[in-house]
Amino acid sequence: MSINLSKGQSVNLAKNDGGALSRVRMGLGWDTKVVTKKGLFGGSKQVQRAIDLDASAIVIGGGRVLDTVYFGKLRSGDGAIQHTGDNLTGEGEGDDESIVVDLPQVHGSVEHIVFVVNSYSGENFTEVDNAFVRVVDSMAGDTELARFQLTGSGSHTALVMAKVSRTGAGWQFTAIGTPGNGRTARDLEPLAMSAV
């Protein structure tokens, strides 16, 4: 059963039977914006405007950034976090970009994995439709555990979406939803650090 999260809400990442999750996938989805263009003779037509959003994972431990997984570095140093590839337009249904985390393989020095999204092409989020982030249990047929609907309003170009944090009992997912500005994951490292 999926939980719809609001900004700042947390959920423990445990299976319904009480066991710990072993493999989760964060999915980011969005749609291109349909805009009306005026023609030379007073007519107009609707066109889709491709927007290049990027999902990234910023790995934090000991008060510093240990690693970043994004379209230019598809796997973490410990091999536990993998980006499935870059989507340049948002075209298609469902998740447009995904980051898979093999939780038991995450290095012990990692305290938080912060998931961020940025508009690489520079558009702001007023131009993004139907954006969402979700976490699914990859070992149980992609059963959706939690979803955070991202608002499409705001003049920001980036967002700290969510984080997965190590706790004494396992891992916890927290929806964050903090807006920011930046075109790359590196631009968002300070904002990610302030979210932990």
Side-chain angles (χ1 to χ4, degrees):
M1 176 173 146
S2 178
I3 299 170
N4 287 317
L5 295 173
S6 57
K7 184 176 176 177
Q9 187 177 1
S10 298
V11 63
N12 286 324
L13 293 180
K15 292 179 177 268
N16 290 337
D17 64 7
L21 289 174
S22 61
R23 192 173 175 92
V24 296
R25 182 173 59 81
M26 296 291 302
L28 166 66
W30 74 97
D31 291 332
T32 54
K33 182 85 171 175
V34 176
V35 295
T36 302
K37 295 255 184 182
K38 292 186 179 182
L40 293 174
F41 302 106
S44 64
K45 65 178 180 176
Q46 293 201 338
V47 296
Q48 287 192 336
R49 183 174 173 191
I51 295 174
D52 182 7
L53 296 186
D54 290 321
S56 305
I58 300 174
V59 182
I60 298 172
R64 63 186 180 92
V65 174
L66 302 174
D67 203 350
T68 302
V69 177
Y70 66 108
F71 69 88
K73 182 177 185 253
L74 296 177
R75 187 177 293 271
S76 61
D78 62 8
I81 305 167
Q82 181 175 347
H83 194 297
T84 59
D86 197 13
N87 181 319
L88 302 176
T89 64
E91 192 172 324
E93 296 298 317
D95 299 334
D96 295 306
E97 293 194 10
S98 291
I99 299 173
V100 179
V101 182
D102 189 349
L103 293 168
Q105 298 302 313
V106 173
H107 192 274
S109 64
V110 175
E111 298 167 1
H112 308 278
I113 303 166
V114 180
F115 298 94
V116 298
V117 61
N118 57 273
S119 175
Y120 185 77
S121 48
E123 292 89 0
N124 66 53
F125 282 97
T126 61
E127 301 172 274
V128 181
D129 288 335
N130 301 320
F132 65 89
V133 62
R134 65 192 192 122
V135 62
V136 298
D137 181 351
S138 292
M139 299 303 285
D142 276 353
T143 301
E144 187 171 287
L145 301 170
R147 174 180 287 259
F148 182 46
Q149 205 63 37
L150 304 172
T151 59
S153 60
S155 59
H156 50 281
T157 61
L159 194 72
V160 176
M161 301 183 305
K163 67 180 175 180
V164 178
S165 301
R166 192 184 301 268
T167 69
W171 293 89
Q172 183 177 60
F173 174 82
T174 304
I176 298 171
T178 301
N181 287 297
R183 294 181 60 184
T184 67
R186 185 161 300 255
D187 293 341
L188 301 179
E189 287 179 1
L191 194 58
M193 288 293 298
S194 69
V196 298

mmCIF file of all heavy atoms in Angstrom, residues 151-187:
data_model
loop_
_atom_site.group_PDB
_atom_site.id
_atom_site.type_symbol
_atom_site.label_atom_id
_atom_site.label_comp_id
_atom_site.label_asym_id
_atom_site.label_seq_id
_atom_site.Cartn_x
_atom_site.Cartn_y
_atom_site.Cartn_z
ATOM 1 N N THR A 151 5.093 19.882 -6.952
ATOM 2 C CA THR A 151 4.268 20.938 -7.528
ATOM 3 C C THR A 151 4.976 21.521 -8.737
ATOM 4 O O THR A 151 6.197 21.585 -8.784
ATOM 5 C CB THR A 151 3.999 22.054 -6.506
ATOM 6 O OG1 THR A 151 5.246 22.605 -6.084
ATOM 7 C CG2 THR A 151 3.235 21.540 -5.301
ATOM 8 N N GLY A 152 4.202 21.940 -9.712
ATOM 9 C CA GLY A 152 4.772 22.533 -10.915
ATOM 10 C C GLY A 152 4.840 24.037 -10.844
ATOM 11 O O GLY A 152 5.119 24.680 -11.844
ATOM 12 N N SER A 153 4.563 24.604 -9.682
ATOM 13 C CA SER A 153 4.568 26.065 -9.580
ATOM 14 C C SER A 153 5.805 26.536 -8.846
ATOM 15 O O SER A 153 6.208 25.951 -7.853
ATOM 16 C CB SER A 153 3.317 26.540 -8.853
ATOM 17 O OG SER A 153 3.282 25.983 -7.551
ATOM 18 N N GLY A 154 6.406 27.573 -9.353
ATOM 19 C CA GLY A 154 7.574 28.152 -8.703
ATOM 20 C C GLY A 154 8.626 28.507 -9.723
ATOM 21 O O GLY A 154 8.763 27.855 -10.755
ATOM 22 N N SER A 155 9.380 29.527 -9.420
ATOM 23 C CA SER A 155 10.388 30.009 -10.366
ATOM 24 C C SER A 155 11.743 29.357 -10.140
ATOM 25 O O SER A 155 12.729 29.761 -10.730
ATOM 26 C CB SER A 155 10.515 31.533 -10.253
ATOM 27 O OG SER A 155 10.889 31.881 -8.926
ATOM 28 N N HIS A 156 11.789 28.316 -9.306
ATOM 29 C CA HIS A 156 13.050 27.627 -9.044
ATOM 30 C C HIS A 156 13.365 26.631 -10.158
ATOM 31 O O HIS A 156 12.487 26.186 -10.886
ATOM 32 C CB HIS A 156 13.006 26.925 -7.682
ATOM 33 C CG HIS A 156 11.787 26.080 -7.473
ATOM 34 N ND1 HIS A 156 10.564 26.609 -7.121
ATOM 35 C CD2 HIS A 156 11.602 24.747 -7.597
ATOM 36 C CE1 HIS A 156 9.676 25.634 -7.026
ATOM 37 N NE2 HIS A 156 10.278 24.491 -7.310
ATOM 38 N N THR A 157 14.646 26.287 -10.285
ATOM 39 C CA THR A 157 15.100 25.358 -11.318
ATOM 40 C C THR A 157 15.565 24.031 -10.729
ATOM 41 O O THR A 157 16.055 23.175 -11.464
ATOM 42 C CB THR A 157 16.255 25.973 -12.127
ATOM 43 O OG1 THR A 157 17.337 26.244 -11.246
ATOM 44 C CG2 THR A 157 15.817 27.241 -12.835
ATOM 45 N N ALA A 158 15.430 23.870 -9.422
ATOM 46 C CA ALA A 158 15.886 22.645 -8.784
ATOM 47 C C ALA A 158 15.068 22.380 -7.527
ATOM 48 O O ALA A 158 14.398 23.273 -7.007
ATOM 49 C CB ALA A 158 17.368 22.748 -8.425
ATOM 50 N N LEU A 159 15.144 21.137 -7.062
ATOM 51 C CA LEU A 159 14.392 20.742 -5.881
ATOM 52 C C LEU A 159 15.123 19.607 -5.173
ATOM 53 O O LEU A 159 15.575 18.671 -5.825
ATOM 54 C CB LEU A 159 13.009 20.262 -6.317
ATOM 55 C CG LEU A 159 11.951 20.100 -5.243
ATOM 56 C CD1 LEU A 159 11.465 21.448 -4.745
ATOM 57 C CD2 LEU A 159 10.777 19.313 -5.798
ATOM 58 N N VAL A 160 15.259 19.721 -3.857
ATOM 59 C CA VAL A 160 15.686 18.579 -3.056
ATOM 60 C C VAL A 160 14.415 17.775 -2.833
ATOM 61 O O VAL A 160 13.513 18.210 -2.129
ATOM 62 C CB VAL A 160 16.320 19.012 -1.722
ATOM 63 C CG1 VAL A 160 16.654 17.793 -0.877
ATOM 64 C CG2 VAL A 160 17.577 19.830 -1.967
ATOM 65 N N MET A 161 14.328 16.616 -3.469
ATOM 66 C CA MET A 161 13.090 15.852 -3.478
ATOM 67 C C MET A 161 12.874 15.101 -2.178
ATOM 68 O O MET A 161 11.820 15.185 -1.572
ATOM 69 C CB MET A 161 13.115 14.836 -4.626
ATOM 70 C CG MET A 161 13.271 15.464 -5.980
ATOM 71 S SD MET A 161 13.210 14.261 -7.334
ATOM 72 C CE MET A 161 14.469 13.085 -6.908
ATOM 73 N N ALA A 162 13.854 14.299 -1.792
ATOM 74 C CA ALA A 162 13.671 13.377 -0.675
ATOM 75 C C ALA A 162 15.033 12.868 -0.226
ATOM 76 O O ALA A 162 16.046 13.099 -0.887
ATOM 77 C CB ALA A 162 12.796 12.205 -1.113
ATOM 78 N N LYS A 163 15.018 12.168 0.909
ATOM 79 C CA LYS A 163 16.250 11.528 1.368
ATOM 80 C C LYS A 163 15.919 10.178 1.974
ATOM 81 O O LYS A 163 14.807 9.934 2.450
ATOM 82 C CB LYS A 163 16.988 12.394 2.385
ATOM 83 C CG LYS A 163 16.259 12.569 3.705
ATOM 84 C CD LYS A 163 17.046 13.449 4.669
ATOM 85 C CE LYS A 163 16.234 13.718 5.932
ATOM 86 N NZ LYS A 163 16.955 14.555 6.890
ATOM 87 N N VAL A 164 16.903 9.295 1.922
ATOM 88 C CA VAL A 164 16.853 8.014 2.610
ATOM 89 C C VAL A 164 17.961 8.080 3.648
ATOM 90 O O VAL A 164 19.113 8.346 3.318
ATOM 91 C CB VAL A 164 17.074 6.832 1.640
ATOM 92 C CG1 VAL A 164 17.074 5.517 2.393
ATOM 93 C CG2 VAL A 164 16.018 6.819 0.561
ATOM 94 N N SER A 165 17.604 7.892 4.920
ATOM 95 C CA SER A 165 18.559 8.032 6.018
ATOM 96 C C SER A 165 18.693 6.732 6.787
ATOM 97 O O SER A 165 17.699 6.046 7.056
ATOM 98 C CB SER A 165 18.113 9.143 6.977
ATOM 99 O OG SER A 165 18.000 10.369 6.297
ATOM 100 N N ARG A 166 19.922 6.435 7.181
ATOM 101 C CA ARG A 166 20.182 5.250 7.990
ATOM 102 C C ARG A 166 19.746 5.542 9.434
ATOM 103 O O ARG A 166 20.066 6.589 9.988
ATOM 104 C CB ARG A 166 21.677 4.929 7.957
ATOM 105 C CG ARG A 166 22.036 3.573 8.509
ATOM 106 C CD ARG A 166 23.550 3.357 8.544
ATOM 107 N NE ARG A 166 24.210 3.443 7.265
ATOM 108 C CZ ARG A 166 24.441 2.412 6.458
ATOM 109 N NH1 ARG A 166 24.018 1.206 6.800
ATOM 110 N NH2 ARG A 166 25.088 2.581 5.320
ATOM 111 N N THR A 167 18.987 4.617 10.012
ATOM 112 C CA THR A 167 18.575 4.734 11.407
ATOM 113 C C THR A 167 18.995 3.468 12.132
ATOM 114 O O THR A 167 19.448 2.514 11.503
ATOM 115 C CB THR A 167 17.036 4.895 11.529
ATOM 116 O OG1 THR A 167 16.413 3.664 11.148
ATOM 117 C CG2 THR A 167 16.509 6.034 10.671
ATOM 118 N N GLY A 168 18.821 3.435 13.441
ATOM 119 C CA GLY A 168 19.151 2.237 14.200
ATOM 120 C C GLY A 168 18.319 1.035 13.794
ATOM 121 O O GLY A 168 18.747 -0.111 13.916
ATOM 122 N N ALA A 169 17.126 1.298 13.236
ATOM 123 C CA ALA A 169 16.217 0.218 12.861
ATOM 124 C C ALA A 169 16.258 -0.086 11.369
ATOM 125 O O ALA A 169 15.495 -0.914 10.893
ATOM 126 C CB ALA A 169 14.795 0.586 13.266
ATOM 127 N N GLY A 170 17.107 0.572 10.605
ATOM 128 C CA GLY A 170 17.169 0.349 9.160
ATOM 129 C C GLY A 170 17.268 1.658 8.413
ATOM 130 O O GLY A 170 18.163 2.453 8.662
ATOM 131 N N TRP A 171 16.334 1.887 7.494
ATOM 132 C CA TRP A 171 16.349 3.093 6.671
ATOM 133 C C TRP A 171 15.001 3.797 6.752
ATOM 134 O O TRP A 171 13.972 3.162 6.923
ATOM 135 C CB TRP A 171 16.642 2.731 5.215
ATOM 136 C CG TRP A 171 18.028 2.209 5.012
ATOM 137 C CD1 TRP A 171 18.425 0.903 5.107
ATOM 138 C CD2 TRP A 171 19.189 2.962 4.697
ATOM 139 N NE1 TRP A 171 19.773 0.807 4.863
ATOM 140 C CE2 TRP A 171 20.267 2.062 4.603
ATOM 141 C CE3 TRP A 171 19.438 4.320 4.473
ATOM 142 C CZ2 TRP A 171 21.561 2.458 4.301
ATOM 143 C CZ3 TRP A 171 20.722 4.723 4.162
ATOM 144 C CH2 TRP A 171 21.770 3.803 4.078
ATOM 145 N N GLN A 172 15.030 5.120 6.625
ATOM 146 C CA GLN A 172 13.821 5.927 6.669
ATOM 147 C C GLN A 172 13.795 6.846 5.456
ATOM 148 O O GLN A 172 14.807 7.443 5.087
ATOM 149 C CB GLN A 172 13.785 6.756 7.948
ATOM 150 C CG GLN A 172 12.528 7.578 8.119
ATOM 151 C CD GLN A 172 12.527 8.312 9.444
ATOM 152 O OE1 GLN A 172 13.398 9.117 9.704
ATOM 153 N NE2 GLN A 172 11.553 8.021 10.278
ATOM 154 N N PHE A 173 12.622 6.955 4.831
ATOM 155 C CA PHE A 173 12.409 7.833 3.686
ATOM 156 C C PHE A 173 11.726 9.104 4.167
ATOM 157 O O PHE A 173 10.733 9.036 4.900
ATOM 158 C CB PHE A 173 11.526 7.123 2.657
ATOM 159 C CG PHE A 173 11.124 7.981 1.494
ATOM 160 C CD1 PHE A 173 11.975 8.177 0.428
ATOM 161 C CD2 PHE A 173 9.871 8.572 1.449
ATOM 162 C CE1 PHE A 173 11.605 8.948 -0.654
ATOM 163 C CE2 PHE A 173 9.482 9.351 0.370
ATOM 164 C CZ PHE A 173 10.349 9.532 -0.688
ATOM 165 N N THR A 174 12.227 10.263 3.755
ATOM 166 C CA THR A 174 11.625 11.544 4.112
ATOM 167 C C THR A 174 11.421 12.374 2.855
ATOM 168 O O THR A 174 12.368 12.593 2.092
ATOM 169 C CB THR A 174 12.517 12.334 5.092
ATOM 170 O OG1 THR A 174 12.782 11.541 6.239
ATOM 171 C CG2 THR A 174 11.862 13.635 5.520
ATOM 172 N N ALA A 175 10.201 12.825 2.620
ATOM 173 C CA ALA A 175 9.925 13.766 1.539
ATOM 174 C C ALA A 175 10.366 15.150 2.004
ATOM 175 O O ALA A 175 10.033 15.564 3.111
ATOM 176 C CB ALA A 175 8.441 13.757 1.213
ATOM 177 N N ILE A 176 11.120 15.854 1.175
ATOM 178 C CA ILE A 176 11.656 17.153 1.592
ATOM 179 C C ILE A 176 10.994 18.297 0.829
ATOM 180 O O ILE A 176 10.396 19.180 1.412
ATOM 181 C CB ILE A 176 13.190 17.185 1.430
ATOM 182 C CG1 ILE A 176 13.817 16.122 2.338
ATOM 183 C CG2 ILE A 176 13.736 18.574 1.756
ATOM 184 C CD1 ILE A 176 15.284 15.914 2.125
ATOM 185 N N GLY A 177 11.118 18.323 -0.485
ATOM 186 C CA GLY A 177 10.440 19.336 -1.292
ATOM 187 C C GLY A 177 10.971 20.744 -1.149
ATOM 188 O O GLY A 177 10.230 21.702 -1.313
ATOM 189 N N THR A 178 12.276 20.902 -0.880
ATOM 190 C CA THR A 178 12.869 22.231 -0.739
ATOM 191 C C THR A 178 13.324 22.756 -2.095
ATOM 192 O O THR A 178 14.147 22.111 -2.761
ATOM 193 C CB THR A 178 14.076 22.190 0.226
ATOM 194 O OG1 THR A 178 13.635 21.722 1.494
ATOM 195 C CG2 THR A 178 14.707 23.562 0.377
ATOM 196 N N PRO A 179 12.804 23.914 -2.535
ATOM 197 C CA PRO A 179 13.213 24.461 -3.823
ATOM 198 C C PRO A 179 14.595 25.084 -3.764
ATOM 199 O O PRO A 179 15.069 25.489 -2.702
ATOM 200 C CB PRO A 179 12.148 25.521 -4.106
ATOM 201 C CG PRO A 179 11.655 25.937 -2.768
ATOM 202 C CD PRO A 179 11.785 24.728 -1.873
ATOM 203 N N GLY A 180 15.221 25.159 -4.917
ATOM 204 C CA GLY A 180 16.532 25.794 -5.032
ATOM 205 C C GLY A 180 16.778 26.174 -6.474
ATOM 206 O O GLY A 180 15.896 26.075 -7.323
ATOM 207 N N ASN A 181 17.983 26.603 -6.740
ATOM 208 C CA ASN A 181 18.365 26.960 -8.102
ATOM 209 C C ASN A 181 19.683 26.300 -8.442
ATOM 210 O O ASN A 181 20.597 26.262 -7.614
ATOM 211 C CB ASN A 181 18.455 28.477 -8.267
ATOM 212 C CG ASN A 181 17.080 29.105 -8.293
ATOM 213 O OD1 ASN A 181 16.289 28.838 -9.187
ATOM 214 N ND2 ASN A 181 16.769 29.907 -7.287
ATOM 215 N N GLY A 182 19.763 25.762 -9.625
ATOM 216 C CA GLY A 182 20.963 25.105 -10.089
ATOM 217 C C GLY A 182 20.632 24.243 -11.282
ATOM 218 O O GLY A 182 19.494 23.803 -11.456
ATOM 219 N N ARG A 183 21.638 24.004 -12.108
ATOM 220 C CA ARG A 183 21.440 23.201 -13.309
ATOM 221 C C ARG A 183 22.112 21.843 -13.217
ATOM 222 O O ARG A 183 21.920 21.005 -14.095
ATOM 223 C CB ARG A 183 21.947 23.963 -14.520
ATOM 224 C CG ARG A 183 21.120 25.213 -14.787
ATOM 225 C CD ARG A 183 21.603 25.962 -15.983
ATOM 226 N NE ARG A 183 21.525 25.107 -17.169
ATOM 227 C CZ ARG A 183 21.963 25.476 -18.357
ATOM 228 N NH1 ARG A 183 22.495 26.665 -18.528
ATOM 229 N NH2 ARG A 183 21.874 24.662 -19.387
ATOM 230 N N THR A 184 22.904 21.608 -12.153
ATOM 231 C CA THR A 184 23.600 20.328 -12.001
ATOM 232 C C THR A 184 23.496 19.854 -10.551
ATOM 233 O O THR A 184 23.207 20.638 -9.639
ATOM 234 C CB THR A 184 25.093 20.458 -12.355
ATOM 235 O OG1 THR A 184 25.730 21.299 -11.388
ATOM 236 C CG2 THR A 184 25.290 21.028 -13.758
ATOM 237 N N ALA A 185 23.776 18.582 -10.345
ATOM 238 C CA ALA A 185 23.779 18.026 -8.993
ATOM 239 C C ALA A 185 24.817 18.721 -8.129
ATOM 240 O O ALA A 185 24.591 18.977 -6.945
ATOM 241 C CB ALA A 185 24.050 16.523 -9.045
ATOM 242 N N ARG A 186 25.961 19.041 -8.697
ATOM 243 C CA ARG A 186 27.015 19.729 -7.927
ATOM 244 C C ARG A 186 26.518 21.072 -7.399
ATOM 245 O O ARG A 186 26.837 21.459 -6.273
ATOM 246 C CB ARG A 186 28.265 19.916 -8.776
ATOM 247 C CG ARG A 186 29.422 20.523 -7.994
ATOM 248 C CD ARG A 186 30.724 20.275 -8.678
ATOM 249 N NE ARG A 186 30.959 18.852 -8.804
ATOM 250 C CZ ARG A 186 31.814 18.171 -8.061
ATOM 251 N NH1 ARG A 186 32.510 18.777 -7.137
ATOM 252 N NH2 ARG A 186 31.995 16.893 -8.249
ATOM 253 N N ASP A 187 25.718 21.780 -8.189
ATOM 254 C CA ASP A 187 25.144 23.055 -7.746
ATOM 255 C C ASP A 187 24.274 22.864 -6.504
ATOM 256 O O ASP A 187 24.105 23.802 -5.712
ATOM 257 C CB ASP A 187 24.267 23.681 -8.837
ATOM 258 C CG ASP A 187 25.041 24.120 -10.067
ATOM 259 O OD1 ASP A 187 26.276 24.282 -9.990
ATOM 260 O OD2 ASP A 187 24.401 24.286 -11.136
#
